[in-house]
Amino acid sequence: MREWTLGRACFPFINIIIAVIAAYFLFRKKPRDAVVSRGPLFMVCFLLFFSVGVGNLPLALPGVFERALGHSVWVNYMPPVKMNVTQKGGTWWLVRWREPIQTGYFYVFLAGWFGRHSTLYRVEHGN
């Protein structure tokens, strides 16, 4: 088990707080209009902080996650065996927690990127 440190505990919460503060300042005036115009900017620039913060929560609060899961976040995890597929394993934190969050963030980032460019295109070529 890794030793708990204050820096490791604060890192996820600082990232989540940065994302929440950015969301507050981006969406505080006219939230419905801001979602269309500023939502993609938030998804591209500031959602990264939120996903990194949530991805590192098991490292910040290992005791809470160990009680909830019934095992350590550092336990080795091997997915079910599949035929003719490269088998990859690792710790529970990497395979079952961090990787799905990174994949989800990637798709949200792409949606934000395309959304941002479509709003810029609408502004430049609008009627």
Side-chain angles (χ1 to χ4, degrees), residues 9-105:
C10 291
F11 180 71
F13 296 111
I14 290 170
N15 281 313
I16 292 171
I17 288 170
I18 288 170
V20 168
I21 290 171
Y24 171 74
F25 283 116
L26 282 173
F27 303 121
R28 67 181 171 174
K29 296 180 183 176
K30 299 180 184 177
R32 285 189 179 170
D33 298 334
V35 167
V36 174
S37 63
R38 297 180 185 157
L41 176 69
F42 175 76
M43 290 193 306
V44 169
C45 297
F46 295 106
L47 201 60
L48 174 65
F49 291 103
F50 186 77
S51 68
V52 168
V54 171
N56 285 320
L57 274 178
L59 304 181
L61 305 168
V64 173
F65 278 84
E66 287 173 9
R67 271 185 253 123
L69 296 170
H71 58 77
S72 171
V73 297
W74 297 109
V75 70
N76 285 329
Y77 176 83
M78 182 58 87
V81 177
K82 297 178 184 173
M83 297 299 292
N84 298 327
V85 177
T86 303
Q87 296 294 316
K88 63 179 185 175
T91 64
W92 176 89
W93 173 70
L94 286 174
V95 177
R96 299 288 291 176
W97 185 263
R98 184 82 185 244
E99 200 169 285
I101 289 173
Q102 287 176 341
T103 304
Y105 172 73

